[in-house]
Amino acid sequence: MKLLKYIRTFFIMKNETTKKIAIVYDWIDKWGGVERVLLTLHEMFPEAIFYTSYFNQQTASWAKDLKIKTSFLQKFPDFIKKSRILSFIFYPFAFESFNFSEYNLVISVTSSFAKAIITQPGTQHICYLLTPTRYLWSHKKNYLSNKLINYFISGYLNMFKNWDLVASQRPDKIISISETIRDRCLKYYKRDSEVVYPGFDEEYWNNIKDQRFRLRQDFGGQAKIKNYFLVVSRLEPYKCVDLVVQSFNRLKYNLVIVGEGSQEDKLKQIAGKNIIFLSKLSDFELGNLYTNAQALIMPQEEDFGYVSLEAQFFGCPVITYKKGGATETVIDGKTGIFFNRQEEMSLVRAIERFSRIEYNLKSKVRKYGMKNIERFSKKRFVGNFLKIL
């Protein structure tokens, strides 16, 4: 309620209560840190219409109360629209086909296509940039490790990179989610941007913490695990979860992996018996996992690293790769520790180091974690975002 009152006051002061607003996102078909940002934007602009390539009501039930308009992709067969590869060629046309002539303000939230929308001179287009398109720029090797496939499609990808660069010039202003993304935006898109960190909703997570956790005692058929490390991530190539699996196959420590994605079957095939996979957990269950975990492990180069804030909130130390957004959200030696290379031995040594300082580090997370999280508060996100508008 306080947030809504703040927003109303802002718009009355700016005489913008009659603005018609649209929010554009690449696809609404899952749940994660970015989706929490979308719900905050919905709270800020409750009358805004959401535009997206397609909407999956089963896997994105969180969006059931949003007013959503989809592209022609929504009418495609599921096996096409649910496959990023098969539907890849259609996305530019999908977003360029939307008509925003009746809107005063359009906010695109994107890691790929949504920034490509076309607006008229009277419509302000603000892009909240999650990252320049990963498989074209910063993380191409994670997606195209097969040299033969890379050879055959390299010409098409170069053409698409040129289109992506053109599309990146369409927003009137770009807001980056972290300094890491600001640097990428400048490097790949040749555009400067302001940084507004995604907001962490302390009030919401305090409500989760205050209630008793009723986690399924058998973890979906498994005996309740103890003394475990934790991964909370989408199971996609750039997340490098295979590095954690390989490291824990060597260490034999217990590991819980929470998430879904295209790499799920592959990871399950190579995982030892000390590793279990969970998905579709409630935030109550997730909070319980953070509370009882030895540490959260983040092997990827994060764009921001929302889950690291969740872990710190519940007093869980973070072991993370020393690059990207995690260097902005984790305080070395106080709320977590870093490892320098995305290699098995580098991560193994970091885990062994953690085992030696575990007690002191957990005490420090409880001392410094909440203070650190204040820098990323939801109120600060709202205030900074509205100032830019």
Side-chain angles (χ1 to χ4, degrees):
M1 293 301 294
K2 291 181 180 179
L3 177 62
L4 292 175
K5 184 177 180 181
Y6 177 87
I7 295 168
R8 291 191 195 100
T9 301
F10 176 86
F11 277 106
I12 290 171
M13 291 174 63
K14 298 276 285 186
N15 294 317
E16 295 179 355
T17 53
T18 59
K19 263 193 173 183
K20 191 165 185 182
I21 300 171
I23 298 170
V24 190
Y25 185 46
D26 300 313
W27 33 66
I28 299 178
D29 65 345
K30 55 186 175 296
W31 173 250
V34 177
E35 285 67 28
R36 295 187 191 277
V37 173
L38 294 178
L39 287 179
T40 299
L41 290 173
H42 173 58
E43 189 175 351
M44 293 167 63
F45 310 111
E47 299 304 316
I49 307 296
F50 280 74
Y51 284 75
T52 191
S53 57
Y54 82 98
F55 171 37
N56 187 323
Q57 297 184 46
Q58 284 70 45
T59 57
S61 58
W62 59 270
K64 64 182 185 300
D65 295 327
L66 305 183
K67 291 169 281 189
I68 299 174
K69 291 187 177 182
T70 57
S71 74
F72 57 80
L73 276 168
Q74 189 71 28
K75 298 180 180 178
F76 279 29
D78 283 351
F79 78 92
I80 295 179
K81 67 185 178 185
K82 290 182 180 181
S83 169
R84 299 283 192 258
I85 296 175
L86 294 178
S87 55
F88 180 81
I89 194 172
F90 299 106
Y91 286 116
F93 303 104
F95 286 96
E96 290 179 346
S97 68
F98 287 133
N99 182 357
F100 296 102
S101 59
E102 61 182 300
Y103 294 94
N104 307 102
L105 171 65
V106 181
I107 302 169
S108 60
V109 181
T110 182
S111 61
S112 52
F113 299 98
K115 63 181 176 289
I117 60 172
I118 298 172
T119 56
Q120 301 301 314
T123 301
Q124 184 184 27
H125 175 192
I126 303 293
C127 173
Y128 193 46
L129 185 64
L130 309 175
T131 182
T133 311
R134 292 186 191 90
Y135 47 84
L136 296 177
W137 307 100
S138 59
H139 290 74
K140 183 179 177 181
K141 65 179 182 180
N142 293 109
Y143 290 88
L144 297 170
S145 56
N146 187 301
K147 292 182 179 180
L148 183 61
I149 294 176
N150 193 23
Y151 174 78
F152 281 110
I153 67 172
S154 60
Y156 179 76
L157 285 179
N158 286 334
M159 180 181 68
F160 197 81
K161 281 178 73 172
N162 291 333
W163 175 87
D164 191 59
L165 182 60
V166 170
S168 72
Q169 310 306 306
R170 291 176 182 171
D172 298 301
K173 187 175 292 186
I174 295 178
I175 304 172
S176 292
I177 65 169
S178 64
E179 294 292 345
T180 295
I181 300 308
R182 180 180 181 176
D183 291 343
R184 285 186 205 165
C185 183
L186 188 60
K187 179 179 180 180
Y188 299 121
Y189 292 158
K190 314 303 179 187
R191 293 193 62 174
D192 198 6
S193 58
E194 297 185 54
V195 174
V196 176
Y197 289 119
F200 186 85
D201 192 344
E202 287 187 56
E203 182 179 355
Y204 172 79
W205 285 106
N206 270 320
N207 289 335
I208 297 293
K209 184 183 285 187
D210 289 343
Q211 299 182 44
R212 292 183 177 181
F213 301 122
R214 293 184 174 87
L215 184 66
R216 295 191 304 271
Q217 292 300 305
D218 62 353
F219 283 106
Q222 300 279 348
K224 187 173 181 181
I225 196 167
K226 296 180 180 179
N227 301 320
Y228 60 88
F229 290 80
L230 181 63
V231 170
V232 179
S233 174
R234 288 174 179 156
L235 305 183
E236 300 298 338
Y238 75 97
K239 292 292 189 177
C240 300
V241 179
D242 57 332
L243 171 61
V244 187
V245 170
Q246 291 161 359
S247 299
F248 276 79
N249 282 342
R250 173 191 291 264
L251 290 167
K252 306 301 182 185
Y253 295 162
N254 291 329
L255 175 67
V256 175
I257 297 175
V258 179
E260 298 175 278
S262 64
Q263 300 292 293
E264 184 172 350
D265 290 339
K266 176 183 175 182
L267 292 170
K268 287 180 177 178
Q269 289 173 6
I270 65 173
K273 294 181 179 180
N274 57 312
I275 301 172
I276 67 171
F277 291 79
L278 301 174
S279 62
K280 296 180 175 64
L281 299 186
S282 68
D283 285 339
F284 296 100
E285 294 171 315
L286 188 58
N288 196 78
L289 283 173
Y290 284 130
T291 300
N292 295 299
Q294 303 289 93
L296 174 76
I297 299 180
M298 292 172 49
Q300 66 273 27
E301 180 186 341
E302 271 292 356
D303 306 326
F304 172 65
Y306 187 91
V307 295
S308 74
L309 298 180
E310 292 178 353
Q312 292 171 62
F313 181 84
F314 287 96
C316 178
V318 183
I319 301 173
T320 181
Y321 178 46
K322 194 176 183 178
K323 192 174 182 181
T327 62
E328 301 173 55
T329 58
V330 177
I331 305 173
D332 193 17
K334 292 183 177 179
T335 66
I337 60 174
F338 294 100
F339 61 96
N340 295 319
R341 295 184 302 280
Q342 285 177 313
E343 298 172 359
E344 186 177 325
M345 286 313 300
S346 184
L347 175 55
V348 166
R349 283 193 289 269
I351 294 168
E352 291 173 341
R353 178 190 163 206
F354 168 80
S355 297
R356 295 192 294 270
I357 64 171
E358 178 180 353
Y359 179 81
N360 287 334
L361 187 57
K362 285 189 174 180
S363 296
K364 289 181 179 179
V365 174
R366 289 191 290 270
K367 180 178 180 181
Y368 297 105
M370 294 305 297
K371 187 69 176 177
N372 184 40
I373 286 171
E374 289 177 7
R375 299 189 296 126
F376 309 99
S377 71
K378 183 177 177 180
K379 182 177 179 180
R380 184 168 292 188
F381 164 80
V382 172
N384 290 337
F385 201 95
L386 293 178
K387 283 177 184 177
I388 292 175
L389 300 186

